[in-house]
Amino acid sequence: MKIVVCIKQVPATHEVSIDPETKRLKRESVEAEVNPFDLYAIEEGLRLRERFGGEVVALSMGPPQAQWALREALSMGVDRGLLLSDKAFAGSDTWATSYALARAVETVGAVDLVLCGKQAIDGDTAQVGPGIAAHLGWPQATYVSHVQDAGAKHLTVTRMNEDGHDVVQIDLPAVLTVVKDINTPRVPKLRDCRTALRAEVAVLTADAVRAEPARIGLDGSPTRVVKINPPPPRGGKTLVLDGSPAETARRLVHELRMKSLV
Amino acid sequence: MHTPTETDRAQYRNVWVIAEHRDGKLKGVTFELLGAARRLADARQSEVWCVLLGSGVRALAGECIARQADVALVMDDPRLAEFVDELHADALTKLIEKHKPEIVVCGATARGRALIPRVAVLTNSGLTADCTGLDIDPETGVLLQTRPAFGGNIIATIKSVSHRPQMATVRPRVMAEPEPQTARKGRVISEPLPTAVQHAARMKVLQAITNTAEGIHLADADFIITGGRGLRGKKGFELLRRFAHLVGGAVGASRAAVDAGWIDYAHQVGQTGQTVQPKVYMACGVSGQIQHLVGMQSSDIIIAVNKDPNAPLMKLADFAVVGDVFEILPAMMDEIRRV
């Protein structure tokens, strides 16, 4: 089974804020990490390789420093890392990003399965996985929490929704997006981390994946960010209740009842 | 790629809501979106269309009209009974190509977030995920879509200038639901499942399981009571379940509680779990790591119960209760039952 795992390097959440003077996102010098959901995708790829053999390729689109996300994937045990990086990709929205990633998957060739995290924790869109599936013309299953069974032609997986879950059978090649419940990602060994530091990460340009210039970057992106603002502050102050349990209960239930909430 | 011109854009009209339903009932988010769509359609002097895809969905058309739809666009076919991403996306794409809506909105649910990105690619449209605000720019008539990003640390406004339709998924429970008006009149347009879409599905649903045992689900709850490490084990969650049952709420959990195996992942709130926005969020023995806060900080009222007055969540909360969960909750339950 030939598996491509798509991963994204994201800023650590608590580091992101808006510069009060320039009103722009402060992203420089911010600590970066592999998007947490993508670690589950990497782990699931490795487990499928252990069960069925084959190859796991980690793919990331981003600036040159995104190679570090790929090195983390390499330290966990993927066979190789591909960095899709080109100035022409700058400003890509989810439409253009999923197009570029789909072209890269086609360039890898003979891929059976693409695994993605459910969503990235910076954009939180969950759009790139289904977008890749649409660009490739492949079936998809999202919010996957379990891969029960795999054959040469199809997978049986569980996907979660708000009300419960579905068990679905999906033909290969396919795209899956995975949630945390699917596995516990392995912690890389120190020795493997060292090897990953020295490993070669191949860089793919827009030309190398034959991406049409009109479909990538800002030109290929139907959406535009008009403005960004800090969130509105939460109204009101914190009321500290530190009396006896009975007193606290009376006060709280009273407050909730005034608003018809209990 | 063909970038649409002004003449192309002028053919696109009306605001579509993609209905979500389960077991023959419309979900609340559909009504919320119909209310929002009414406001947008009025600003654009156009109509609200509610799109019903599924099996037996013709019966739901009247309810959509009573909740502000001018048109119910129905594709009722047994092959659409289960949600098969590719099939539903191809069917919706055909409807969009035929009827050319200017705006398409759908709930940012597991289903909506699987379906709409696929349709946006197929129709070459701009899509904004998880919106919390939708407005028409009075000068240009373009849809302005507001959404939180970076875990709620920023709020972004996004638009699609040249591509149509303009598409958005919208967070459930953010927009107000319009009251039903049974006397409202509307049209029903039925469309067959297009032959081009009747290809053999490459995915099939073998089993659809509803978690009935868990009562109310996080996504639908007005009141969420969440437990963390301070609950000390599975038994602590039994207390939370009794409380949730009493107030008609749902039980949530921090990552620590889920990872300890005290409760299922389906209950996890936060960055690697679900984002929730209930009227009341009551966190019991949850310290409030940033990864938890990003999943619940938009709740209307936040109550934190913790022995440690310096826990981060106690600083964010509207009501910070310093005390023992195992004393506070029973006292509150007595108080709620008493009156």
Short mmCIF file of all heavy atoms in Angstrom, two decimals, chain B residues 57-111:
data_model
loop_
_atom_site.label_atom_id
_atom_site.label_comp_id
_atom_site.label_asym_id
_atom_site.label_seq_id
_atom_site.Cartn_x
_atom_site.Cartn_y
_atom_site.Cartn_z
N VAL B 57 -37.37 13.13 1.83
CA VAL B 57 -37.21 14.50 2.31
C VAL B 57 -38.28 15.46 1.78
O VAL B 57 -38.40 16.58 2.28
CB VAL B 57 -35.81 15.08 1.96
CG1 VAL B 57 -34.74 14.40 2.80
CG2 VAL B 57 -35.49 14.92 0.48
N ARG B 58 -39.07 15.01 0.79
CA ARG B 58 -40.14 15.87 0.27
C ARG B 58 -41.05 16.32 1.41
O ARG B 58 -41.55 17.44 1.42
CB ARG B 58 -40.92 15.08 -0.80
CG ARG B 58 -42.18 15.72 -1.33
CD ARG B 58 -41.87 16.98 -2.14
NE ARG B 58 -43.08 17.63 -2.64
CZ ARG B 58 -43.89 18.38 -1.91
NH1 ARG B 58 -43.64 18.58 -0.64
NH2 ARG B 58 -44.96 18.96 -2.45
N ALA B 59 -41.22 15.43 2.39
CA ALA B 59 -42.11 15.71 3.52
C ALA B 59 -41.62 16.88 4.39
O ALA B 59 -42.38 17.43 5.17
CB ALA B 59 -42.23 14.47 4.39
N LEU B 60 -40.35 17.26 4.24
CA LEU B 60 -39.80 18.32 5.09
C LEU B 60 -39.93 19.71 4.45
O LEU B 60 -39.61 20.72 5.07
CB LEU B 60 -38.31 18.04 5.37
CG LEU B 60 -38.01 16.72 6.07
CD1 LEU B 60 -36.50 16.47 6.11
CD2 LEU B 60 -38.57 16.73 7.48
N ALA B 61 -40.41 19.75 3.20
CA ALA B 61 -40.45 21.02 2.45
C ALA B 61 -41.30 22.08 3.16
O ALA B 61 -40.89 23.24 3.27
CB ALA B 61 -40.97 20.77 1.04
N GLY B 62 -42.47 21.67 3.67
CA GLY B 62 -43.38 22.62 4.31
C GLY B 62 -42.74 23.30 5.51
O GLY B 62 -42.90 24.51 5.73
N GLU B 63 -42.00 22.51 6.26
CA GLU B 63 -41.36 23.05 7.45
C GLU B 63 -40.29 24.10 7.09
O GLU B 63 -40.12 25.10 7.78
CB GLU B 63 -40.72 21.91 8.24
CG GLU B 63 -40.63 22.19 9.71
CD GLU B 63 -40.06 21.00 10.48
OE1 GLU B 63 -40.05 19.86 9.94
OE2 GLU B 63 -39.62 21.21 11.60
N CYS B 64 -39.58 23.86 5.99
CA CYS B 64 -38.57 24.83 5.53
C CYS B 64 -39.24 26.14 5.12
O CYS B 64 -38.75 27.23 5.41
CB CYS B 64 -37.80 24.28 4.33
SG CYS B 64 -36.88 22.79 4.70
N ILE B 65 -40.39 26.01 4.45
CA ILE B 65 -41.11 27.20 4.00
C ILE B 65 -41.64 27.98 5.21
O ILE B 65 -41.55 29.20 5.26
CB ILE B 65 -42.22 26.80 3.01
CG1 ILE B 65 -41.57 26.33 1.69
CG2 ILE B 65 -43.20 27.95 2.76
CD1 ILE B 65 -42.48 25.57 0.76
N ALA B 66 -42.15 27.26 6.20
CA ALA B 66 -42.65 27.92 7.41
C ALA B 66 -41.53 28.67 8.14
O ALA B 66 -41.77 29.63 8.86
CB ALA B 66 -43.28 26.89 8.35
N ARG B 67 -40.31 28.23 7.93
CA ARG B 67 -39.16 28.88 8.57
C ARG B 67 -38.41 29.78 7.60
O ARG B 67 -37.20 29.87 7.62
CB ARG B 67 -38.19 27.83 9.10
CG ARG B 67 -38.79 26.87 10.09
CD ARG B 67 -38.74 27.39 11.49
NE ARG B 67 -39.04 26.27 12.40
CZ ARG B 67 -38.67 26.23 13.66
NH1 ARG B 67 -37.98 27.22 14.18
NH2 ARG B 67 -38.98 25.20 14.42
N GLN B 68 -39.12 30.40 6.69
CA GLN B 68 -38.57 31.49 5.87
C GLN B 68 -38.05 31.11 4.49
O GLN B 68 -37.55 31.98 3.77
CB GLN B 68 -37.47 32.28 6.60
CG GLN B 68 -37.92 33.00 7.87
CD GLN B 68 -38.97 34.06 7.59
OE1 GLN B 68 -38.98 34.69 6.53
NE2 GLN B 68 -39.88 34.25 8.53
N ALA B 69 -38.13 29.85 4.09
CA ALA B 69 -37.72 29.54 2.71
C ALA B 69 -38.82 29.96 1.74
O ALA B 69 -40.00 29.78 2.03
CB ALA B 69 -37.44 28.05 2.57
N ASP B 70 -38.43 30.53 0.60
CA ASP B 70 -39.40 30.84 -0.46
C ASP B 70 -39.58 29.63 -1.37
O ASP B 70 -40.63 29.44 -1.95
CB ASP B 70 -38.91 32.04 -1.29
CG ASP B 70 -38.72 33.27 -0.43
OD1 ASP B 70 -39.70 33.67 0.24
OD2 ASP B 70 -37.61 33.82 -0.40
N VAL B 71 -38.49 28.87 -1.51
CA VAL B 71 -38.50 27.70 -2.37
C VAL B 71 -37.87 26.53 -1.62
O VAL B 71 -36.83 26.70 -0.97
CB VAL B 71 -37.70 27.96 -3.67
CG1 VAL B 71 -37.52 26.68 -4.48
CG2 VAL B 71 -38.36 29.05 -4.51
N ALA B 72 -38.49 25.36 -1.68
CA ALA B 72 -37.83 24.14 -1.22
C ALA B 72 -37.40 23.39 -2.48
O ALA B 72 -38.23 23.03 -3.31
CB ALA B 72 -38.77 23.30 -0.38
N LEU B 73 -36.09 23.21 -2.63
CA LEU B 73 -35.54 22.50 -3.79
C LEU B 73 -35.24 21.08 -3.34
O LEU B 73 -34.36 20.87 -2.51
CB LEU B 73 -34.27 23.21 -4.28
CG LEU B 73 -33.55 22.61 -5.48
CD1 LEU B 73 -34.45 22.50 -6.69
CD2 LEU B 73 -32.31 23.45 -5.82
N VAL B 74 -36.03 20.14 -3.86
CA VAL B 74 -36.03 18.79 -3.31
C VAL B 74 -35.42 17.79 -4.28
O VAL B 74 -35.81 17.73 -5.44
CB VAL B 74 -37.48 18.35 -2.98
CG1 VAL B 74 -37.50 16.93 -2.45
CG2 VAL B 74 -38.11 19.31 -1.98
N MET B 75 -34.45 17.01 -3.80
CA MET B 75 -33.97 15.86 -4.56
C MET B 75 -34.17 14.64 -3.66
O MET B 75 -33.42 14.43 -2.72
CB MET B 75 -32.51 16.03 -4.96
CG MET B 75 -32.04 14.97 -5.94
SD MET B 75 -30.31 15.17 -6.40
CE MET B 75 -30.40 16.45 -7.62
N ASP B 76 -35.27 13.94 -3.91
CA ASP B 76 -35.70 12.86 -3.03
C ASP B 76 -35.46 11.54 -3.74
O ASP B 76 -36.11 11.24 -4.75
CB ASP B 76 -37.20 13.06 -2.72
CG ASP B 76 -37.65 12.24 -1.53
OD1 ASP B 76 -37.04 11.17 -1.28
OD2 ASP B 76 -38.61 12.66 -0.87
N ASP B 77 -34.48 10.77 -3.26
CA ASP B 77 -34.12 9.53 -3.95
C ASP B 77 -33.57 8.55 -2.93
O ASP B 77 -32.75 8.93 -2.09
CB ASP B 77 -33.05 9.83 -5.02
CG ASP B 77 -32.82 8.65 -5.96
OD1 ASP B 77 -32.30 7.61 -5.50
OD2 ASP B 77 -33.18 8.78 -7.15
N PRO B 78 -34.02 7.29 -2.98
CA PRO B 78 -33.53 6.31 -2.00
C PRO B 78 -32.01 6.16 -2.01
O PRO B 78 -31.42 5.79 -0.99
CB PRO B 78 -34.21 5.00 -2.40
CG PRO B 78 -35.01 5.27 -3.60
CD PRO B 78 -35.01 6.73 -3.88
N ARG B 79 -31.39 6.48 -3.15
CA ARG B 79 -29.92 6.34 -3.22
C ARG B 79 -29.21 7.42 -2.40
O ARG B 79 -28.01 7.35 -2.19
CB ARG B 79 -29.46 6.39 -4.68
CG ARG B 79 -29.72 5.07 -5.41
CD ARG B 79 -29.62 5.24 -6.90
NE ARG B 79 -30.78 5.97 -7.43
CZ ARG B 79 -31.14 5.99 -8.71
NH1 ARG B 79 -30.43 5.36 -9.60
NH2 ARG B 79 -32.20 6.66 -9.09
N LEU B 80 -29.99 8.42 -1.96
CA LEU B 80 -29.40 9.48 -1.13
C LEU B 80 -29.71 9.28 0.35
O LEU B 80 -29.52 10.18 1.17
CB LEU B 80 -29.90 10.86 -1.59
CG LEU B 80 -29.49 11.30 -3.00
CD1 LEU B 80 -30.24 12.58 -3.40
CD2 LEU B 80 -27.98 11.54 -3.07
N ALA B 81 -30.21 8.09 0.70
CA ALA B 81 -30.65 7.85 2.08
C ALA B 81 -29.51 8.01 3.08
O ALA B 81 -29.66 8.64 4.12
CB ALA B 81 -31.26 6.46 2.20
N GLU B 82 -28.36 7.44 2.78
CA GLU B 82 -27.21 7.58 3.68
C GLU B 82 -26.29 8.65 3.12
O GLU B 82 -26.27 8.89 1.92
CB GLU B 82 -26.44 6.25 3.77
CG GLU B 82 -27.25 5.08 4.28
CD GLU B 82 -27.59 5.19 5.75
OE1 GLU B 82 -27.06 6.11 6.43
OE2 GLU B 82 -28.38 4.37 6.24
N PHE B 83 -25.50 9.26 3.99
CA PHE B 83 -24.60 10.31 3.54
C PHE B 83 -23.35 9.69 2.92
O PHE B 83 -22.48 9.19 3.62
CB PHE B 83 -24.22 11.26 4.67
CG PHE B 83 -23.26 12.32 4.23
CD1 PHE B 83 -23.62 13.23 3.25
CD2 PHE B 83 -21.99 12.40 4.78
CE1 PHE B 83 -22.72 14.21 2.82
CE2 PHE B 83 -21.08 13.37 4.35
CZ PHE B 83 -21.46 14.27 3.37
N VAL B 84 -23.30 9.73 1.59
CA VAL B 84 -22.12 9.29 0.84
C VAL B 84 -21.52 10.56 0.24
O VAL B 84 -22.10 11.15 -0.68
CB VAL B 84 -22.51 8.27 -0.25
CG1 VAL B 84 -21.30 7.91 -1.10
CG2 VAL B 84 -23.12 7.03 0.39
N ASP B 85 -20.41 10.98 0.78
CA ASP B 85 -19.84 12.31 0.50
C ASP B 85 -19.84 12.63 -1.00
O ASP B 85 -20.30 13.68 -1.44
CB ASP B 85 -18.39 12.40 1.00
CG ASP B 85 -18.24 11.98 2.44
OD1 ASP B 85 -18.82 10.95 2.83
OD2 ASP B 85 -17.51 12.66 3.19
N GLU B 86 -19.29 11.68 -1.77
CA GLU B 86 -19.07 11.92 -3.18
C GLU B 86 -20.40 12.07 -3.94
O GLU B 86 -20.57 12.97 -4.76
CB GLU B 86 -18.27 10.73 -3.74
CG GLU B 86 -17.75 10.93 -5.12
CD GLU B 86 -17.08 9.67 -5.66
OE1 GLU B 86 -17.18 8.60 -5.02
OE2 GLU B 86 -16.45 9.76 -6.72
N LEU B 87 -21.34 11.20 -3.62
CA LEU B 87 -22.63 11.19 -4.28
C LEU B 87 -23.40 12.48 -3.97
O LEU B 87 -23.95 13.14 -4.87
CB LEU B 87 -23.41 9.97 -3.79
CG LEU B 87 -24.69 9.60 -4.50
CD1 LEU B 87 -24.42 9.32 -5.96
CD2 LEU B 87 -25.32 8.37 -3.84
N HIS B 88 -23.45 12.85 -2.70
CA HIS B 88 -24.15 14.07 -2.31
C HIS B 88 -23.49 15.30 -2.92
O HIS B 88 -24.16 16.23 -3.36
CB HIS B 88 -24.22 14.18 -0.78
CG HIS B 88 -25.28 13.32 -0.17
ND1 HIS B 88 -26.33 13.82 0.54
CD2 HIS B 88 -25.45 11.99 -0.20
CE1 HIS B 88 -27.12 12.84 0.94
NE2 HIS B 88 -26.60 11.70 0.51
N ALA B 89 -22.15 15.30 -2.94
CA ALA B 89 -21.43 16.45 -3.49
C ALA B 89 -21.70 16.57 -4.99
O ALA B 89 -21.95 17.67 -5.50
CB ALA B 89 -19.93 16.31 -3.23
N ASP B 90 -21.71 15.45 -5.71
CA ASP B 90 -21.97 15.50 -7.15
C ASP B 90 -23.40 15.96 -7.43
O ASP B 90 -23.65 16.74 -8.35
CB ASP B 90 -21.71 14.12 -7.79
CG ASP B 90 -20.22 13.77 -7.83
OD1 ASP B 90 -19.40 14.65 -7.52
OD2 ASP B 90 -19.88 12.61 -8.15
N ALA B 91 -24.35 15.47 -6.62
CA ALA B 91 -25.76 15.86 -6.80
C ALA B 91 -25.93 17.36 -6.56
O ALA B 91 -26.58 18.06 -7.35
CB ALA B 91 -26.64 15.05 -5.86
N LEU B 92 -25.34 17.86 -5.48
CA LEU B 92 -25.47 19.28 -5.15
C LEU B 92 -24.78 20.14 -6.22
O LEU B 92 -25.29 21.21 -6.59
CB LEU B 92 -24.88 19.55 -3.76
CG LEU B 92 -24.96 20.98 -3.24
CD1 LEU B 92 -26.38 21.53 -3.28
CD2 LEU B 92 -24.42 21.04 -1.80
N THR B 93 -23.66 19.67 -6.72
CA THR B 93 -22.96 20.40 -7.78
C THR B 93 -23.85 20.57 -9.01
O THR B 93 -23.93 21.65 -9.59
CB THR B 93 -21.66 19.65 -8.15
OG1 THR B 93 -20.83 19.61 -6.99
CG2 THR B 93 -20.90 20.35 -9.27
N LYS B 94 -24.56 19.50 -9.37
CA LYS B 94 -25.47 19.59 -10.53
C LYS B 94 -26.58 20.61 -10.28
O LYS B 94 -26.95 21.36 -11.18
CB LYS B 94 -26.09 18.22 -10.83
CG LYS B 94 -25.08 17.19 -11.32
CD LYS B 94 -24.63 17.48 -12.75
CE LYS B 94 -23.55 16.51 -13.19
NZ LYS B 94 -22.57 17.13 -14.09
N LEU B 95 -27.10 20.63 -9.05
CA LEU B 95 -28.17 21.60 -8.73
C LEU B 95 -27.64 23.03 -8.83
O LEU B 95 -28.33 23.92 -9.33
CB LEU B 95 -28.71 21.34 -7.32
CG LEU B 95 -29.55 20.08 -7.13
CD1 LEU B 95 -29.94 19.92 -5.66
CD2 LEU B 95 -30.81 20.13 -8.01
N ILE B 96 -26.43 23.23 -8.34
CA ILE B 96 -25.83 24.58 -8.38
C ILE B 96 -25.59 25.00 -9.83
O ILE B 96 -25.89 26.13 -10.23
CB ILE B 96 -24.52 24.60 -7.56
CG1 ILE B 96 -24.85 24.51 -6.06
CG2 ILE B 96 -23.70 25.86 -7.86
CD1 ILE B 96 -23.64 24.32 -5.16
N GLU B 97 -25.09 24.08 -10.65
CA GLU B 97 -24.83 24.42 -12.04
C GLU B 97 -26.12 24.78 -12.77
O GLU B 97 -26.14 25.67 -13.61
CB GLU B 97 -24.13 23.24 -12.76
CG GLU B 97 -22.66 23.11 -12.35
CD GLU B 97 -22.02 21.80 -12.79
OE1 GLU B 97 -22.74 20.91 -13.32
OE2 GLU B 97 -20.79 21.66 -12.59
N LYS B 98 -27.21 24.09 -12.41
CA LYS B 98 -28.47 24.35 -13.10
C LYS B 98 -29.15 25.64 -12.62
O LYS B 98 -29.61 26.43 -13.43
CB LYS B 98 -29.41 23.16 -12.89
CG LYS B 98 -30.77 23.35 -13.56
CD LYS B 98 -31.60 22.09 -13.57
CE LYS B 98 -32.95 22.36 -14.24
NZ LYS B 98 -33.84 21.21 -14.10
N HIS B 99 -29.20 25.83 -11.30
CA HIS B 99 -30.02 26.93 -10.77
C HIS B 99 -29.22 28.16 -10.36
O HIS B 99 -29.79 29.19 -10.03
CB HIS B 99 -30.85 26.44 -9.58
CG HIS B 99 -31.88 25.41 -9.95
ND1 HIS B 99 -33.06 25.75 -10.54
CD2 HIS B 99 -31.88 24.07 -9.84
CE1 HIS B 99 -33.77 24.64 -10.77
NE2 HIS B 99 -33.08 23.60 -10.35
N LYS B 100 -27.90 28.06 -10.32
CA LYS B 100 -27.01 29.20 -10.11
C LYS B 100 -27.34 30.11 -8.91
O LYS B 100 -27.73 31.27 -9.09
CB LYS B 100 -26.95 30.05 -11.39
CG LYS B 100 -26.34 29.31 -12.58
CD LYS B 100 -26.19 30.26 -13.75
CE LYS B 100 -25.46 29.69 -14.94
NZ LYS B 100 -25.28 28.27 -15.05
N PRO B 101 -27.18 29.61 -7.71
CA PRO B 101 -27.38 30.47 -6.54
C PRO B 101 -26.20 31.44 -6.38
O PRO B 101 -25.08 31.14 -6.78
CB PRO B 101 -27.39 29.47 -5.38
CG PRO B 101 -26.56 28.32 -5.86
CD PRO B 101 -26.78 28.24 -7.35
N GLU B 102 -26.49 32.59 -5.77
CA GLU B 102 -25.44 33.58 -5.53
C GLU B 102 -24.66 33.24 -4.26
O GLU B 102 -23.45 33.48 -4.18
CB GLU B 102 -26.07 34.97 -5.40
CG GLU B 102 -25.05 36.07 -5.27
CD GLU B 102 -25.70 37.45 -5.15
OE1 GLU B 102 -26.79 37.55 -4.55
OE2 GLU B 102 -25.09 38.41 -5.64
N ILE B 103 -25.39 32.68 -3.28
CA ILE B 103 -24.80 32.36 -1.98
C ILE B 103 -25.28 30.97 -1.57
O ILE B 103 -26.46 30.64 -1.75
CB ILE B 103 -25.23 33.40 -0.91
CG1 ILE B 103 -24.64 34.79 -1.25
CG2 ILE B 103 -24.83 32.96 0.50
CD1 ILE B 103 -25.19 35.92 -0.39
N VAL B 104 -24.38 30.15 -1.03
CA VAL B 104 -24.75 28.82 -0.51
C VAL B 104 -24.22 28.70 0.91
O VAL B 104 -23.02 28.89 1.14
CB VAL B 104 -24.15 27.69 -1.37
CG1 VAL B 104 -24.43 26.32 -0.75
CG2 VAL B 104 -24.69 27.73 -2.80
N VAL B 105 -25.10 28.43 1.87
CA VAL B 105 -24.65 28.23 3.24
C VAL B 105 -25.08 26.86 3.76
O VAL B 105 -26.11 26.31 3.34
CB VAL B 105 -25.16 29.34 4.21
CG1 VAL B 105 -24.56 30.67 3.85
CG2 VAL B 105 -26.68 29.40 4.24
N CYS B 106 -24.29 26.32 4.67
CA CYS B 106 -24.52 24.98 5.20
C CYS B 106 -23.97 24.96 6.62
O CYS B 106 -23.06 25.73 6.95
CB CYS B 106 -23.76 23.99 4.30
SG CYS B 106 -23.91 22.27 4.78
N GLY B 107 -24.52 24.12 7.47
CA GLY B 107 -24.02 24.02 8.84
C GLY B 107 -22.58 23.52 8.86
O GLY B 107 -22.21 22.65 8.08
N ALA B 108 -21.78 24.07 9.79
CA ALA B 108 -20.39 23.60 9.94
C ALA B 108 -20.39 22.38 10.86
O ALA B 108 -19.80 22.37 11.93
CB ALA B 108 -19.51 24.71 10.48
N THR B 109 -21.10 21.34 10.41
CA THR B 109 -21.19 20.09 11.16
C THR B 109 -20.24 19.08 10.51
O THR B 109 -19.64 19.38 9.48
CB THR B 109 -22.63 19.56 11.05
OG1 THR B 109 -22.92 19.41 9.65
CG2 THR B 109 -23.63 20.53 11.65
N ALA B 110 -20.15 17.90 11.08
CA ALA B 110 -19.29 16.87 10.49
C ALA B 110 -19.67 16.65 9.02
O ALA B 110 -18.83 16.57 8.14
CB ALA B 110 -19.40 15.57 11.28
N ARG B 111 -20.96 16.59 8.77
CA ARG B 111 -21.46 16.35 7.43
C ARG B 111 -21.22 17.56 6.52
O ARG B 111 -20.72 17.42 5.40
CB ARG B 111 -22.96 16.06 7.53
CG ARG B 111 -23.53 15.32 6.40
CD ARG B 111 -24.94 14.90 6.72
NE ARG B 111 -24.98 13.58 7.31
CZ ARG B 111 -26.04 12.77 7.23
NH1 ARG B 111 -27.13 13.18 6.62
NH2 ARG B 111 -26.01 11.58 7.78
#
